[in-house]
């Protein structure tokens, strides 16, 4: 199989399944859990690189450009903490108040609920056909 296809499959299926809920448990990893994530990820890294079994997991991470799973889990935890305003640690980087907020639909005034879309946009760089005709 193509290496790029395997890498896309890894990112969309394997990593998402292994790190399900990492935004909640991402910071509470123990040494044993980190080692377990390394051993699971190692199987896929060996398949991508077709390297020998004696190759180091860290070397395989560098060769494939795929970060270790415990670092990805920590990043998910930090992003979640910033997004739900639980972490004030990163206020110096950007203003958390500029992030999107969820507003209940019933609290939006009725005049703002109606959106008028023009059929054609003037001065558009490209056109998109959704009927599949490609004309």
């Amino acid at each position: 199989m193509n290496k790029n296809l395997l890498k896309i499959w890894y990112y969309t299926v394997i990593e998402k399944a292994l790190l399900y809920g990492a935004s909640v448990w991402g910071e509470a990893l123990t040494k044993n859990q980190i080692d377990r994530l390394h051993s699971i990820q190692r199987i896929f890294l060996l398949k991508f690189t077709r390297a020998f079994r004696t190759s180091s997991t860290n070397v395989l991470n560098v060769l494939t450009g795929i970060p270790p799973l415990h670092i990805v889990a920590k990043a998910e935890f930090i992003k979640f903490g910033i997004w739900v305003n639980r972490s004030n640690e990163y206020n110096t980087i950007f203003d958390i108040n500029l992030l999107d907020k969820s507003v209940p639909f019933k609290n939006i005034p009725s005049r703002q609920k109606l959106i008028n879309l023009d059929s054609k946009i003037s001065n558009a760089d490209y056109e998109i056909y959704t009927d599949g005709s490609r004309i």
Side-chain angles (χ1 to χ4, degrees), residues 52-68:
F52 291 108
R53 292 182 307 164
T54 57
S55 301
S56 168
T57 305
N58 293 331
V59 170
L60 295 174
N61 284 115
V62 171
L63 289 176
T64 57
I66 298 173

Side-chain angles (χ1 to χ4, degrees), residues 9 57 93 98 105 123:
W9 182 70
T57 305
I93 298 173
L98 297 178
F105 190 72
N123 300 328

Side-chain angles (χ1 to χ4, degrees), residues 9-69:
W9 182 70
Y10 169 80
Y11 278 123
T12 57
V13 178
I14 303 300
E15 189 174 275
K16 299 294 182 203
L18 291 173
L19 297 179
Y20 179 75
S23 56
V24 177
W25 54 260
E27 192 176 48
L29 287 172
T30 64
K31 174 77 170 117
N32 290 337
Q33 292 167 335
I34 291 173
D35 290 342
R36 179 81 172 143
L37 285 175
H38 274 293
S39 64
I40 293 170
Q41 187 182 34
R42 180 178 172 76
I43 297 166
F44 297 101
L45 295 176
L46 285 171
K47 294 290 183 189
F48 294 149
T49 58
R50 297 184 179 116
F52 291 108
R53 292 182 307 164
T54 57
S55 301
S56 168
T57 305
N58 293 331
V59 170
L60 295 174
N61 284 115
V62 171
L63 289 176
T64 57
I66 298 173
L69 286 175

Side-chain angles (χ1 to χ4, degrees), residues 113-126:
K113 290 180 186 176
L114 183 63
I115 300 174
N116 292 326
L117 298 175
D118 295 333
S119 60
K120 290 234 176 201
I121 299 174
S122 59
N123 300 328
D125 293 334
Y126 54 88

Side-chain angles (χ1 to χ4, degrees), residues 80-89 96:
F80 179 73
I82 291 171
W83 188 255
V84 296
N85 291 331
R86 291 186 181 175
S87 175
N88 293 327
E89 185 176 348
I96 292 177

